[in-house]
Amino acid sequence: MKKVDIKEVARKAGVSIATVSRAFNDSSRVKAPTKEKIQKISKELNYIPNPIARSLSKKSSETIGVVLPDLFGEFFMDIIHGIDEEAYKHNWFVILSSSHSKRNILETLVEFMGSGRVDGVILMAPQIDERINEIIKKSKRPVVLINAGDSVDINCGANFKINNFEGAYNITEHLIKTHNYKKIGFVSGPKDNYDALERAKGYYKAMHKNGLTVDESLVVPGNFLLESGYAGLKKLLNNKIVPDAVVMANDMMAVGAYQAAKELGYKIPDDIAVVGFDDIYLSQFLAPRLTTVHVPIQDLGRKAVLQLLEITMNKKKNHKPYIETLPTNLIIGGSCGCGR
Amino acid sequence: MKKVDIKEVARKAGVSIATVSRAFNDSSRVKAPTKEKIQKISKELNYIPNPIARSLSKKSSETIGVVLPDLFGEFFMDIIHGIDEEAYKHNWFVILSSSHSKRNILETLVEFMGSGRVDGVILMAPQIDERINEIIKKSKRPVVLINAGDSVDINCGANFKINNFEGAYNITEHLIKTHNYKKIGFVSGPKDNYDALERAKGYYKAMHKNGLTVDESLVVPGNFLLESGYAGLKKLLNNKIVPDAVVMANDMMAVGAYQAAKELGYKIPDDIAVVGFDDIYLSQFLAPRLTTVHVPIQDLGRKAVLQLLEITMNKKKNHKPYIETLPTNLIIGGSCGCGR
DNA sequence: CTGAAAGCGCTTACAG
DNA sequence: CTGAAAGCGCTTACAG
């Protein structure tokens, strides 16, 4: 397959390369018959403008860089899915990069930002630190954040979050108001994780608003992994004050809690109610089905792309970052005691 | 942040841009002190060579295009994970593209192949058709296939598969030899899916090798989705010959089978044994734990990258495609009757 | 509506 | 070991 470039097409069509280029870009300024001839010949020759050359020339690549903290689990799959779908719809490309360490995120960001390789990046960083913030600030390319803390709002193009607070508040209140539990435990997420902190706040707030005091022995640390949920529930069940219900800061830990309950011979929800957060795929297959909080993850990805494209198109600089917090909704299963 | 290019660095370092370029590439030919000076200045100026310009010039982008049939489920997550990890290790980028239709795969392939955007692509296409084959044949860029049928071996750079046949054979034989089941049903995958067909073959072969005839009413069609496993098992349980064990062509369908069994009041494995294929994350949480076939999906992604890089480096053309079939291994749970 | 030419930011023979 | 210059394949003022 001989390489075919714009010159070749121009020659065969008897026009200049400028005209060929225009036929492919700002079509309005090329006479219809000329354009048709160029299109016909391009098809025959199987010509596609070289996107690299075009990028170099236009200084834009129609490519989004996506930087994720990790690449595993359905949470990230859903984000990627949403991003890919929306990007494809608009004919943009997606360059992916995960990271297994902070350093890596930084490197990737620098590489992305400094080059013409991407026109903007979507960054998901539940624990953003100052160095990342610096890079975002210096960058000429827009950055759209997903699930980042408040500290970075100033520098980014947009920040999409999930209303973790509201979700945790609602599910806790459900346990209180609908089921009349009083001793409600909480297994938290990582201390430095923004989502986790918001969820904890929601739990506390719901307790206080409803006149319940939180005995600190009922709050145990977790890290979003299954094992810590397992350990967390065991600890609570051996506590001097044994809770009648437990809010797990995410579903994976709830899965661990199910295992712990089973091992210790506690029935869910009769002996102990358990609820989670995230509505992962697995949660519907637990017996009883887990009561949890659904988060619109794919939407997060889709919205991030749309916002990024808009910023890129408008090229307004220094506009205020757009901030949107997506609502969650309660998924009622049997693990809270409903349908008993 | 003022843009800093190679000229700027060259000027500040008092050398030509050629020397700066060399300092960043084939270092051996630049005198050590010169190189150090250039590195120091680059650091100060925050200079990173523009990868787009470099790509255009070198006609290679150090980027892999990944084309997947879909973007959801842990299967794809694992593939992506493996690819990303290996690519990152070698400082390559990954451009992602899924597709929701055949046309889309074709378009993406054409776009990828024709441009300088990627140096090669990893294509996962369980049902490759002739048009895709044509594109691969014409392409100058290497293509590494994952889980594709045999028909395409000739044109690609490499083809990595999972030994679906062996996996299905082994798990079926396990049911026969260890548990002495005689009436073993099978719920198949999509008719046009290469993996699915191989799994069916493995099932049949194991039956025949062990002197069991397959009553065709014991083989029902499925499509790899949960619902078809649900319907499939129901059908089998209402069959005139009711099986004592069933091989589901994948785990998702096995999950559906669990639901059907529960609904009809059949206990697994006492009333009916059920086994799956894939070893999805969920399978370990089923009660009893699903007996299934583990497939090394991340490895598939990793190996595909390594092979692609090697082909790209060596640039040998017309070498025979490299074909590797990765082994599977049996995961024993309680659903086959083990540990009863 | 169209063309000649400069330019995007690099790499790499070629010459020294 | 280093530089001047051509070239990668496009886009886009500028001029007509």
Side-chain angles (χ1 to χ4, degrees), chain B residues 24-320:
Chain B
F24 274 91
N25 294 287
D26 104 68
S27 41
S28 64
R29 280 170 43 188
V30 180
K31 229 176 10 185
T34 316
K35 186 154 56 156
E36 277 158 27
K37 197 199 303 170
I38 291 172
Q39 278 166 347
K40 181 162 153 290
I41 290 178
S42 298
K43 192 137 292 170
E44 282 172 21
L45 266 52
N46 246 306
Y47 170 70
I48 296 176
N50 180 320
I52 296 286
R54 171 181 252 164
S55 293
L56 184 58
S57 191
K58 296 181 78 154
K59 303 180 140 317
S60 112
S61 54
E62 312 217 308
T63 301
I64 295 170
V66 175
V67 185
L68 301 177
D70 204 340
L71 268 183
F72 98 112
E74 60 181 276
F75 189 90
F76 297 110
M77 187 79 259
D78 282 347
I79 288 266
I80 294 174
H81 194 172
I83 289 175
D84 175 79
E85 222 166 71
E86 197 66 40
Y88 180 78
K89 203 184 289 177
H90 297 273
N91 271 307
W92 278 55
F93 282 93
V94 173
I95 281 196
L96 200 61
S97 183
S98 69
S99 63
H100 309 277
S101 68
K102 279 278 174 50
R103 183 154 163 285
N104 188 324
I105 279 207
L106 282 174
E107 272 177 9
T108 313
L109 265 180
V110 170
E111 163 104 53
F112 273 169
M113 313 267 52
S115 72
R117 199 178 269 281
V118 302
D119 288 354
V121 346
I122 294 177
L123 169 64
M124 170 152 171
Q127 53 279 67
I128 282 210
D129 69 11
E130 264 314 308
R131 291 169 305 164
I132 296 185
N133 222 339
E134 276 306 302
I135 293 172
I136 296 178
K137 196 184 300 178
K138 281 193 197 149
S139 163
K140 306 124 298 200
R141 309 280 178 185
V143 176
V144 168
L145 298 169
I146 289 183
N147 270 27
D150 297 309
S151 59
V152 291
D153 284 350
I154 340 120
N155 305 322
C156 66
N159 193 348
F160 289 92
K161 324 180 190 194
I162 278 172
N163 203 333
N164 288 294
F165 175 84
E166 171 207 62
Y169 183 93
N170 289 343
I171 203 165
T172 306
E173 191 161 85
H174 174 78
L175 294 175
I176 301 169
K177 289 201 167 160
T178 305
H179 298 289
N180 206 31
Y181 297 122
K182 305 279 188 214
K183 292 173 291 179
I184 302 176
F186 184 72
V187 179
S188 73
K191 295 140 300 301
D192 57 350
N193 183 294
Y194 179 70
D195 297 313
L197 294 179
E198 290 293 304
R199 292 175 188 184
K201 282 188 201 162
Y203 158 79
Y204 277 107
K205 185 77 171 191
M207 294 294 277
H208 294 146
K209 273 278 187 189
N210 288 279
L212 296 176
T213 52
V214 177
D215 186 288
E216 282 307 323
S217 73
L218 287 181
V219 176
V220 313
N223 62 10
F224 276 171
L225 300 179
L226 188 146
E227 294 73 23
S228 74
Y230 174 87
L233 191 70
K234 281 211 165 172
K235 191 167 171 196
L236 284 171
L237 293 178
N238 289 320
N239 197 34
K240 45 185 192 318
I241 309 173
V242 176
D244 38 26
V246 181
V247 177
M248 311 298 289
N250 79 347
D251 283 1
M252 276 318 299
M253 294 197 299
V255 173
Y258 270 61
Q259 297 182 337
K262 191 172 182 184
E263 251 184 63
L264 297 180
Y266 281 73
K267 283 245 173 314
I268 296 172
D270 296 329
D271 303 325
I272 178 96
V274 172
V275 301
F277 204 116
D278 280 347
D279 191 27
I280 63 175
Y281 187 71
L282 170 54
S283 68
Q284 64 189 292
F285 297 108
L286 297 174
R289 198 253 188 261
L290 183 64
T291 293
T292 184
V293 177
H294 180 78
V295 297
I297 307 181
Q298 279 196 29
D299 286 355
L300 221 50
R302 267 192 282 268
K303 284 184 180 249
V305 171
L306 281 176
Q307 193 60 31
L308 193 53
L309 296 198
E310 199 173 296
I311 296 174
T312 313
M313 304 285 95
N314 295 340
K315 291 213 167 120
K316 297 182 202 152
K317 39 179 82 173
N318 267 3
H319 53 8
K320 286 244 176 55

Side-chain angles (χ1 to χ4, degrees), chain A residues 175-192:
Chain A
L175 294 175
I176 302 169
K177 289 202 167 160
T178 305
H179 298 289
N180 205 30
Y181 298 121
K182 304 276 189 217
K183 292 172 291 178
I184 302 176
F186 183 73
V187 179
S188 73
K191 295 142 298 303
D192 56 350

